[in-house]
Amino acid sequence: FGLRWVFVAARRLSLVVANGATLRGGAWASHCGGFSCCGARSFPNFTGSKDDRGTCQCSVILPDTTFPVERVERLEIIAQTISQKFEKEFSKVKEYVQLISVYEKKLSNLTVRIEIMEKDTISYTELDFELIKVEVREMEKLIKQLKVGFVGSSVIVDQLEVEIRNMTLLVEKLETLDKNNVLAIRRQIVALKNKLKECEDSKVGNLPALPPPPAPGSCAHGGVVNISRPVTVQLNWKGFSYQYGAWGRDYSPQHPGKGLYWVAPLDTDGRTLRYYRIYNTLDDLLLYTNARENWIYYGQGGGLVVYKNNMYVNWYNTGNIAKVNLTTATVALTQTLPDAAYNNRFSYANVGWQDIDLAVDENGLWVTYATEASTGNMVISKLNDTTLEVLNTWHTKQYKPSVTNTFMVCGVLYATRTLNTRTEEIFYYYDTSTGKEGKLNIVMQKMKETLQSINYHPFEQKLFVYNDGYLLNYDLVFQQIPQ
């Protein structure tokens, strides 16, 4: 028609009609010059005017029932919003497609590497497995993100998830086999070194070989005179961030060589104990397999021990000792330690929340602490492991906060202090059988800077040390009693 329609906010319909055009609608028809804009006729719903070029512009006001302008405007806004959302989701899909393509290539590469490992007889290091496991974990994270954000058919995503899960199981299986081989070889090497040392010692000056060490669980010796270099067992099961905690092996005089292993990292605050794991064998611990993870509400500090299948721990925010049954994972008993200071009043140097430090040796359950009456000097008490009653108490002259940690062997308390970031010294002892105390000079190497806890196992005659998140073992050397 040579006309132009324009929507305006006031429900007004504007028409631009060129000279000579005819407007038709309903029961009326007229030349544009016939409207009021030309001065000939006027209609109640029409207004009009001419522009400089002689074009007549007419406006008509329509009721809502005739034309829903507001609905059209709302529809335009909704359409624009949907378009924006579509563009956003479409960009995500393109990004996911690119990521899937990249990780498909990585998965193919890992498959080839693992096939080579399966066929090869070379023993791969733990680092080789860790690098592969890191890549697999990255792909697992991506798949989880895709499953959450992906809309529509997810057949490819599901297939990738299955392949990655199979890859994880295969890597774990290979790692298990390799670690078992390493363990066996390590044991053989240690045994050969010991035999070689005995042979060399016996040949020097035709001197007889040293007498054998005391029988496991026996106190037929003159005390600790030396200590081996540390053996790093592994990082704790929670990871690098959990630098405080304790670990050890259950000891029972009735079954001295059959105790389970336990690892108890504290929360990252270095105070709260909530979770611990139990392993039936050392191999299970080394391979992170067959673990029983328990939860308690909750312990405090790394001064806990396990004795006769019960865990003994300082209860949170109190001066109480709790006895936790490891079979049922329940608290069997709590008992207040008389006059004991707690909550960092007299903890060890560089280690917080160990005001109450429990210990086990050949004679049973012990606790080292300090009181206000002792002015911070260490107090040693022998405990009844059934009732947690104090059986006997000894007072030392050694200030507890100047000590980094302690352990008990055959009724003798040994204390350590820091020489530097890589060396500790067993510098002090107190013999509860004689009441004698004195100084020692036994150098103790360490892997990391801080020893968070030390536990002794009478049957193995080893120290179990928690060192900035790492689990260490030390062999103790005792003074031999002449036969």
Side-chain angles (χ1 to χ4, degrees):
F1 293 166
L3 53 85
R4 181 158 50 93
W5 298 75
V6 180
F7 292 106
V8 293
R11 303 185 184 88
R12 183 181 297 274
L13 182 63
S14 297
L15 298 87
V16 180
V17 184
N19 287 330
T22 301
L23 177 67
R24 302 181 185 275
W28 51 268
S30 174
H31 189 277
C32 183
F35 292 115
S36 59
C37 66
C38 301
R41 296 168 56 184
S42 66
F43 296 88
N45 293 338
F46 291 86
T47 59
S49 64
K50 285 185 178 182
D51 61 12
D52 296 338
R53 292 178 295 179
T55 302
C56 185
Q57 297 183 358
C58 304
S59 299
V60 59
I61 300 175
L62 299 176
D64 286 342
T65 55
T66 305
F67 194 86
V69 178
E70 288 185 350
R71 295 182 186 177
V72 173
E73 291 175 348
R74 199 180 310 122
L75 182 62
E76 287 179 340
I77 294 171
I78 294 173
Q80 185 178 7
T81 304
I82 292 174
S83 177
Q84 291 174 350
K85 287 184 177 179
F86 175 79
E87 290 296 331
K88 184 178 179 181
E89 294 300 323
F90 187 66
S91 64
K92 282 185 180 179
V93 170
K94 289 194 292 186
E95 182 183 349
Y96 287 154
V97 169
Q98 292 174 353
L99 287 173
I100 287 174
S101 176
V102 171
Y103 279 91
E104 276 183 327
K105 292 178 182 178
K106 282 192 175 185
L107 190 61
S108 176
N109 181 40
L110 283 175
T111 303
V112 173
R113 286 163 60 187
I114 291 177
E115 286 176 353
I116 295 173
M117 280 185 170
E118 286 182 299
K119 295 175 183 177
D120 208 337
T121 58
I122 299 173
S123 177
Y124 288 83
T125 66
E126 185 176 354
L127 180 60
D128 295 323
F129 290 107
E130 284 300 323
L131 291 174
I132 292 179
K133 280 157 55 176
V134 166
E135 294 184 47
V136 172
R137 281 196 292 268
E138 287 179 357
M139 289 190 288
E140 286 176 341
K141 289 180 181 178
L142 173 69
I143 288 298
K144 289 178 182 178
Q145 293 174 2
L146 288 175
K147 293 195 77 174
V148 171
F150 198 83
V151 179
S153 176
S154 60
V155 176
I156 297 176
V157 177
D158 292 338
Q159 184 178 355
L160 277 174
E161 185 181 23
V162 172
E163 290 184 23
I164 290 171
R165 190 182 301 117
N166 292 338
M167 179 77 68
T168 302
L169 295 173
L170 184 56
V171 172
E172 289 177 352
K173 183 178 179 182
L174 285 172
E175 187 181 20
T176 300
L177 292 172
D178 182 71
K179 282 188 174 180
N180 281 331
N181 292 336
V182 171
L183 285 172
I185 293 170
R186 183 186 293 173
R187 294 188 184 111
Q188 293 176 8
I189 290 173
V190 171
L192 289 172
K193 282 184 176 179
N194 289 337
K195 289 181 180 179
L196 180 62
K197 187 175 183 303
E198 291 176 4
C199 182
E200 288 177 348
D201 291 342
S202 63
K203 288 182 178 180
V204 175
N206 294 323
L207 295 175
L210 292 174
S218 169
C219 290
H221 56 75
V224 177
V225 292
N226 208 345
I227 190 170
S228 71
R229 295 183 63 85
V231 174
T232 303
V233 178
Q234 67 180 23
L235 182 68
N236 79 87
W237 57 274
K238 277 197 168 185
F240 296 101
S241 300
Y242 295 82
Q243 296 192 347
Y244 291 82
W247 84 293
R249 188 181 184 189
D250 180 22
Y251 176 70
S252 172
Q254 290 74 28
H255 307 284
K258 296 183 179 180
L260 51 82
Y261 293 83
W262 56 272
V263 182
L266 304 182
D267 286 356
T268 52
D269 61 1
R271 177 184 183 182
T272 311
L273 171 65
R274 292 190 294 173
Y275 297 95
Y276 60 92
R277 281 187 179 180
I278 300 170
Y279 305 87
N280 289 328
T281 67
L282 180 60
D283 287 353
D284 285 343
L285 185 149
L286 292 171
L287 301 174
Y288 299 102
T289 57
N290 304 319
R292 286 180 288 152
E293 185 173 324
N294 292 334
W295 177 85
I296 59 173
Y297 187 81
Y298 31 79
Q300 175 170 280
L304 62 151
V305 293
V306 174
Y307 182 59
K308 295 181 180 179
N309 201 47
N310 291 293
M311 177 178 285
Y312 298 87
V313 58
N314 176 206
W315 215 228
Y316 188 85
N317 204 36
T318 71
N320 298 343
I321 298 173
K323 176 181 179 181
V324 181
N325 186 299
L326 295 186
T327 302
T328 62
T330 57
V331 178
L333 176 68
T334 59
Q335 183 69 261
T336 301
L337 184 61
D339 301 323
Y342 60 94
N343 280 358
N344 262 351
R345 174 59 175 143
F346 296 116
S347 189
Y348 292 129
N350 306 323
V351 180
W353 311 106
Q354 278 198 54
D355 305 75
I356 297 175
D357 186 18
L358 293 135
V360 169
D361 72 352
E362 293 81 355
N363 299 328
L365 182 64
W366 303 81
V367 62
T368 304
Y369 57 104
T371 66
E372 296 295 342
S374 73
T375 63
N377 288 347
M378 288 192 293
V379 178
I380 308 166
S381 288
K382 182 74 168 61
L383 300 179
N384 183 311
D385 61 272
T386 303
T387 64
L388 295 180
E389 292 182 28
V390 175
L391 302 178
N392 207 343
T393 299
W394 296 262
H395 295 268
T396 76
K397 297 177 183 178
Q398 179 61 48
Y399 187 54
K400 189 171 182 287
S402 67
V403 171
T404 55
N405 232 288
T406 62
F407 60 94
M408 297 289 299
V409 178
C410 292
V412 178
L413 175 77
Y414 294 89
T416 62
R417 65 183 175 189
T418 299
L419 297 183
N420 54 55
T421 58
R422 286 292 180 267
T423 311
E424 293 278 309
E425 180 187 40
I426 303 175
F427 77 101
Y428 171 85
Y429 75 92
Y430 185 97
D431 190 342
T432 59
S433 63
T434 63
K436 181 181 178 182
E437 57 189 325
K439 301 295 181 182
L440 297 170
N441 182 23
I442 302 174
V443 175
M444 182 178 180
Q445 303 296 324
K446 54 187 177 181
M447 179 180 175
K448 304 285 282 184
E449 185 170 345
T450 307
L451 302 183
Q452 278 76 18
S453 67
I454 303 176
N455 286 307
Y456 170 69
H457 192 271
F459 183 80
E460 294 193 36
Q461 297 177 335
K462 292 178 182 287
L463 296 183
F464 290 72
V465 176
Y466 198 99
N467 181 201
D468 282 338
Y470 286 88
L471 314 184
L472 309 183
N473 269 148
Y474 294 83
D475 291 313
L476 293 179
V477 179
F478 300 101
Q479 183 178 15
Q480 302 299 321
I481 299 176
Q483 300 295 324

